[in-house]
Amino acid sequence: MELSIERLTKQYGNKIAVDKLNAKFGTGVYGLLGANGAGKTTLMRMLCGILDPTSGEIKLDGMNNLDMGEVFREQLGYLPQDFGYYPDFKAREFMLYIGALKGLSPVYARERADELLEMVGLKEVANKKIKTFSGGMKQRLGIAQAVMNDPKILVFDEPTAGLDPKERVRFRNLISDFASERMVLLSTHIVSDVEYIADEILVMKNGTMIARGTVTELVDTISDKVWRVITDGESADALCREYNIINLRHIEDKVELRIVSDEAPMDMAEHVVPTLEDLYLYEFKEG
C-alpha cells in the first residue's frame, strides 16, 4: 500500500496553507511535526477528503482519491483535532452509531465495539455517558471510533492536545498497538508525541515540508549546533537576549544554558548531544 501526494496545494485567497507538497507513505507511523499554523491540519483534512485541494493530487496505489470515492474513504480512520461526539450517548451506543454510519452489520458492530472498548481501556465505562468522561477517556474513545471499520490508513490530528503526561503516554502506546500493518499519520506540535513511536518524522513549516527522516537522521543535521554554557547571571541574561535558549538552570551561583545556534555563543561553550526538541526549536525559533 502506498499513499502519495503530488504537488498538493491549498490556497485561501492570497494565503497558501499548503504549498506544492510531495510525499509518499507506506506502512508505518509517520509523525508530522510543525508549529501551529504550519499547514498540518489543512493537509490532514485534504488527505481525508474533507477539503478539496486547490491543485495537485492524492493517490492510493496509483489511483486518484477523488476517482476512488467511497472505496478510498473506506480505507480511512480519522480522529480530528476537535473530536465531535454526542454527550448524552453512552460509549457503546456511540460506537454502534459509528458502526452504522460506516455500514457495518449490527452483529459485527456489536462485536467490534466491545472488542475496541476493551482495547482502549473503556470496557468498564461502556454504559456511561460520554459527557462524564475525562479528556483522555474521550480521546481513547476517539481512537476506537477511528478504527471501527478496520481501516488501513489512520489519521490523527493533534490527538494529545490538553492531555496530561500520563494520558499522552497511554495514547502513544495505543497508537503503537494499532499501527501494525497500517499507515498512521500523526500530526502534532508536541515533540514527545512522535519522538518515540514514529518510524519517520516530517517537519512542516509555512505549508512546505522542510525536513524528513528518522529521529536519528534529523537530529544529526544539528549535531554541531547545540551548545552547553555555564556562566554568571549577567552573561546569561545577555545570551538569553541574543540566542535561542532551550533550557536554563541555576547551579549555585552559576547559570547553565542549553543553546541552539549555528555558531558558538561564547568561547567556553561546548557541544552537547542534540535531541528532536532541539531540532524543533531550531527550525521554529522565530515563533
Side-chain angles (χ1 to χ4, degrees), residues 188-201:
T188 186
H189 65 280
I190 301 172
V191 173
S192 60
D193 280 355
V194 293
E195 187 169 14
Y196 301 111
I197 64 169
D199 299 301
E200 276 195 88
I201 306 286

Side-chain angles (χ1 to χ4, degrees), residues 48-287:
C48 292
I50 298 168
L51 284 177
D52 290 332
T54 304
S55 60
E57 285 188 293
I58 299 166
K59 294 180 178 179
L60 181 61
D61 291 333
M63 295 184 63
N64 184 286
N65 69 318
L66 298 178
D67 295 336
M68 293 176 70
E70 188 65 28
V71 174
F72 179 79
R73 288 189 290 275
E74 287 173 354
Q75 304 297 317
L76 288 171
Y78 179 44
L79 177 57
Q81 187 170 350
D82 298 311
F83 168 47
Y85 60 91
Y86 296 99
D88 287 321
F89 265 29
K90 296 171 183 176
R92 192 166 185 269
E93 288 176 338
F94 180 72
M95 291 293 289
L96 295 177
Y97 169 70
I98 294 296
L101 289 180
K102 295 188 175 184
L104 306 183
S105 73
V107 172
Y108 177 71
R110 286 193 293 272
E111 293 175 354
R112 183 71 172 157
D114 290 342
E115 173 192 2
L116 290 171
L117 288 171
E118 183 170 7
M119 286 184 71
V120 300
L122 296 175
K123 179 182 178 181
E124 301 302 318
V125 293
N127 293 313
K128 298 284 187 181
K129 290 187 176 181
I130 302 172
K131 67 182 178 183
T132 67
F133 286 8
S134 68
M137 292 165 73
K138 289 172 184 172
Q139 289 299 80
R140 280 185 269 141
L141 181 63
I143 292 185
Q145 65 82 30
V147 298
M148 186 69 177
N149 60 325
D150 196 23
K152 297 302 180 186
I153 303 170
L154 292 175
V155 178
F156 299 119
D157 187 11
E158 298 284 357
T160 66
L163 300 189
D164 63 36
K166 184 176 180 180
E167 280 288 7
R168 286 215 305 270
V169 171
R170 188 169 188 172
F171 193 93
R172 290 202 306 264
N173 291 340
L174 281 172
I175 290 173
S176 293
D177 285 341
F178 282 116
S180 177
E181 299 181 2
R182 286 189 176 96
M183 179 190 306
V184 179
L185 305 176
L186 194 162
S187 160
T188 186
H189 65 280
I190 301 172
V191 173
S192 60
D193 280 355
V194 293
E195 187 169 14
Y196 301 111
I197 64 169
D199 299 301
E200 276 195 88
I201 306 286
L202 296 88
V203 184
M204 201 169 172
K205 185 176 183 180
N206 298 327
T208 63
M209 208 76 73
I210 61 171
R212 177 175 179 169
T214 65
V215 171
T216 301
E217 289 168 345
L218 292 179
V219 165
D220 281 348
T221 64
I222 59 164
S223 60
D224 60 346
K225 301 181 190 302
V226 186
W227 310 84
R228 177 175 175 260
V229 170
I230 297 178
T231 188
D232 58 68
E234 185 177 342
S235 296
D237 289 342
L239 290 168
C240 287
R241 288 192 294 270
E242 186 174 353
Y243 290 97
N244 190 9
I245 307 299
I246 304 300
N247 192 56
L248 181 152
R249 184 165 67 108
H250 290 274
I251 307 174
E252 296 179 349
D253 61 339
K254 298 291 186 181
V255 180
E256 180 185 57
L257 300 172
R258 186 182 184 92
I259 299 172
V260 176
S261 170
D262 291 324
E263 299 176 353
M266 59 192 312
D267 290 340
M268 65 183 71
E270 60 182 24
H271 281 120
V272 291
V273 177
T275 66
L276 189 62
E277 183 179 50
D278 295 328
L279 171 79
Y280 181 89
L281 293 171
Y282 176 75
E283 295 292 355
F284 297 97
K285 52 184 175 285
E286 297 90 351

